[in-house]
Amino acid sequence: MLDIQKIRADFPILSQKVNGKPLVYFDNGATSQKPQIVIDADAKYYQEINANIHRGVHTLSQLATDAYELSRGKVQQHINAKFAHEVLFTSGTTHGINLVTNGFASILKPGDEILVSALEHHSNIVPWQMLCEKTGATLKVIPMNEEGELIMEAYDALLSENTKVVTVNHISNALGTINPIKYMIDKAHAVGAAVLIDGAQAVPHLKPDVQDLDCDFYAFSGHKMCGPTGTGILYGKEAWLNKLPPYQGGGEMIKEVTFEKTTYADLPHKFEAGTPNIAGGIVLGTAIDYMNEIGFEAIHAHEEELLQYATKRLLEIEGLKIYGTGKNKASVISFNIDGIHPYDIGSIIDKLGIAVRTGHHCAQPIMNFFCIPGTIRASFSFYNTKEEIDSMVEAVKKAQTMLS
Ligand SMILES: *Cc1c(COP(=O)(O)O)cnc(C)c1O
């Protein structure tokens, strides 16, 4: 059991008023709030050890390098990567995916196929389309059903020896569906395809085990798991990271540079050109420590309770429809109310202090599938409460009355 009031006290923003009302923050799928310990760690870095890393022999540079590499080790442990050099610091999920698609430009050729799921965020669609344009490879879509679940029979049928890459999110940001990625990874490997998992929505809720999953790449953002914006991780299997060419050229990623030829640095530096977000990388480690201290089992239990409670309460509202009704779901609820545009509800409940996301959630193909312009999305974190859900339900009812 979580001591929610104690946890909430860790997040200064949660005691704020917005538009004169207590803030109810249900836009965790877009970004999570940050605990004081994370805010303090950022300031402490700049106050005490700010220096560039992997360069100077001076003391501060060594302290900064040690802290940065310590954080890499924390991430390695957290996701159970075999080696620390399989953990690359990025600016976020988008960066991580583009690093991979860029690398595959030198591997794929016409006739090769990339399978992408119907449930993807634009970040995990557009880079693959760009890759297809560059290489002549073909993008194929793993379809979903009305519940917002990927159809595994269709997936099995799409796989062939032409399949070179399968890319899918662990959890859908728009619907909350938890995808059967272990099954999908095994099936993809059976035809020799590499698998990238977009873990952006999974890491706030669970602890992925990349060795157990056996995925080839796992990308996520720090800012959705209590860490700073502009931070993220790309996990890649050592063999793949050795095989892919560097993404960006510059300082840090080289072994030796002459005007005739440059040799690249070993992993992970080969993929970390230029001065990174040093403070962010270090503080991401603090965020991961914080979440582990709370414990992912307790987080799961609490969020599951919130999901069940919110689903039940929302369905009491006449004309309300939930999109994403699969069996395996994270604490994300997308919904609409008959005859009312999601934006109108979102604007009215914002006046009542309730922060939800409205729109297509960077997943237009999903909205097209349901023939809707968008949804209202409430995404819950471990620091949310049932009382906040009650406030949202009351606010939505009020908005419905005003708009109909
Ligand atoms: C947020 C999100 C992304 C993009 O993450 P950035 O931090 O904006 O790079 C990609 N995929 C999913 C599923 C997301 O939820």
Side-chain angles (χ1 to χ4, degrees), residues 200-220:
Q201 290 295 329
V203 291
H205 306 294
L206 55 85
K207 203 173 144 121
D209 182 330
V210 293
Q211 287 191 77
D212 177 60
L213 288 169
D214 198 29
C215 53
D216 301 285
F217 303 98
Y218 194 101
F220 60 94

Side-chain angles (χ1 to χ4, degrees), residues 80-139:
N80 192 31
K82 193 165 174 192
F83 305 112
H85 60 250
E86 293 177 321
V87 172
L88 309 181
F89 282 111
T90 63
S91 66
T93 308
T94 307
H95 176 187
I97 294 170
N98 277 276
L99 187 158
V100 174
T101 57
N102 179 77
F104 270 92
S106 63
I107 294 174
L108 298 189
K109 48 186 196 325
D112 288 343
E113 293 175 0
I114 298 166
L115 302 190
V116 58
S117 104
L119 278 173
E120 297 314 302
H121 187 285
H122 296 162
S123 288
N124 201 26
I125 300 173
V126 183
W128 298 104
Q129 288 174 323
M130 289 161 64
L131 174 62
C132 287
E133 269 172 37
K134 258 191 236 170
T135 59
T138 308
L139 196 71

